[in-house]
Amino acid sequence: MVDLDWKAKMVSSDIPNKSPKLSNKLQVSIPTPFRFSNISSPLSTSASASSAYDYYLRLPELKKLWETKEFPAWQNERVLKPALHALEITFRFISIVLSDPRSYSNRREWKRRLESLTTSQIELIAMLCEDENEDKTAAGTAPIVDLTSSNGVLARESSSAEVWKLHGETTVVSRTSKDSLLPRLATWQKSEDAAQKILYTIECEMRRCPYTLGLGEPNLSGKPSLDYDAVCKPNDLHALKRSPYDHCIENHENATLFTTHQILESWIQTAKQVLKRIASRIDAEIFETAASDCYLMERIWKLLAEIEDLHLLMDPDDFLHLKSQLLIKPVNETEAFCFRSKGLVEITKMSKELKHKVPFILGAEVDPKGGPRIQEAAMRLYSEKQEGNKVFLVQALQAIEGALKRFFYGYKQVLVVVMGSLEAKGNRVVAGSGSVDSLSQVFLEPTYFPSLDAAKTYLGEFWNHELGGSGLTRWKK
């Protein structure tokens, strides 16, 4: 227990002190931080392991597609393009799963999981497009194809659109990508139902966006379509569908693992761009839009966890055989497999570094002597209720932290199920009471925002003293 002077720490002029039960001293329990011993930074791995990971996934070639700037006026290109790549790779994944000749493959659950994953991705893509419309500098810069201006007159050959009329003279145009795999899935008996569900999901999720994706969705709103083939370049993307070891490894889980991680890395690339945008918008004091981006980033962390969960559907024997074939093994006892992804390490560090933006958001400087300036500024922000945008933003920053830690906790559980608990612990048969693996270190470390945490602790204790238990009594009645 720590004896803290309430009047010195709490901004009492902003919060009425009516309760006679509230003394000048407030007793607050401060939890002891979890101690780590003999562990270096968890966000590290060997250069050779990272290079092997990049080579296996053909990441250098994927990065060229992500980073090529085809439309200089379109600010959202670097954010949206990798997300569209991930979606297109998911269409390929559906084809791989439904073409799997193994009698013991759980096609039913695979189909459900991939439909769910596709829906989650479309929701995030719609959010990215919707936010683009709200940014005045970015609105109207996306490469679109507006077929409504043709009054329903289409080319005689190689037309990728269909036209019909609704409510009298209203012309509705539905454009279908020529190169995407989704229209082909819609014509295949095994995947027809899944493809139709995806198309209707696109129709529903894109309703608030200035344009639709142009993958064959009905487009009942008659909006212009994104020039999907020019942006996504499906043919160039699917040219990278085989791993470098396909010629020497006969294992059906090879395509599953390879495709899963290509989707993962594509969303990591989008996450990187979103985090850069969050930092720049905070610096420009565009707090409301920055908060929206933070909640988007929270959902991306949840999506990354959903992608990692696909490992649970892989056949245990085939996957472990593949693991041996690919020589996947920890370099040392503290290394986690996920940290071979340099992109994942980078977005983890970028997410944590957002904590340095809190003093600027609160308009307070850090006390070099360790005083509670930031904490007091946070308490004022919460209690005065005058700057809602800042409250939304600091709440969203903490939401990112929660999603990040849940991702690494969930990843450790996936490792246990897929590879066994010994592998998840880094092959350490005997572990001391003070030792901990690198994954546990990430999700057990103290909060990234101690001042915000302390401010809420004090406010909670304040209102407990103010109500004096009357609130609990009232609810019981």
Side-chain angles (χ1 to χ4, degrees), residues 26-56:
L26 177 66
Q27 303 290 327
V28 182
S29 297
I30 305 297
T32 303
F34 191 89
R35 300 290 182 184
F36 303 105
S37 62
N38 301 323
I39 294 272
S40 59
S41 171
L43 303 178
S44 61
T45 189
S46 69
S48 60
S50 292
S51 297
Y53 176 84
D54 289 358
Y55 176 73
Y56 173 68

Side-chain angles (χ1 to χ4, degrees), residues 363-376:
E365 295 183 1
V366 177
D367 189 339
K369 297 182 179 180
R373 288 181 188 172
I374 307 301
Q375 175 189 323
E376 291 173 353

Side-chain angles (χ1 to χ4, degrees), residues 300-316:
I300 291 176
W301 273 114
K302 292 178 179 179
L303 177 66
L304 297 181
E306 187 177 352
I307 296 169
E308 288 288 2
D309 284 348
L310 295 177
H311 290 86
L312 300 175
L313 294 180
M314 298 179 188
D315 180 73

Side-chain angles (χ1 to χ4, degrees), residues 64-78:
K64 287 182 180 178
L65 294 179
W66 297 334
E67 296 173 357
T68 301
K69 190 74 173 172
E70 300 279 353
F71 309 96
W74 188 27
Q75 297 181 18
N76 218 24
E77 181 180 2
R78 291 189 185 276

Side-chain angles (χ1 to χ4, degrees), residues 6 71 119 135 154 182 185 193 248 256 277 297 325 330 379:
W6 174 250
F71 309 96
T119 298
D135 186 348
L154 302 178
L182 182 58
L185 292 175
D193 57 337
C248 59
T256 305
R277 199 165 71 179
M297 188 62 221
Q325 289 174 305
M379 293 162 70

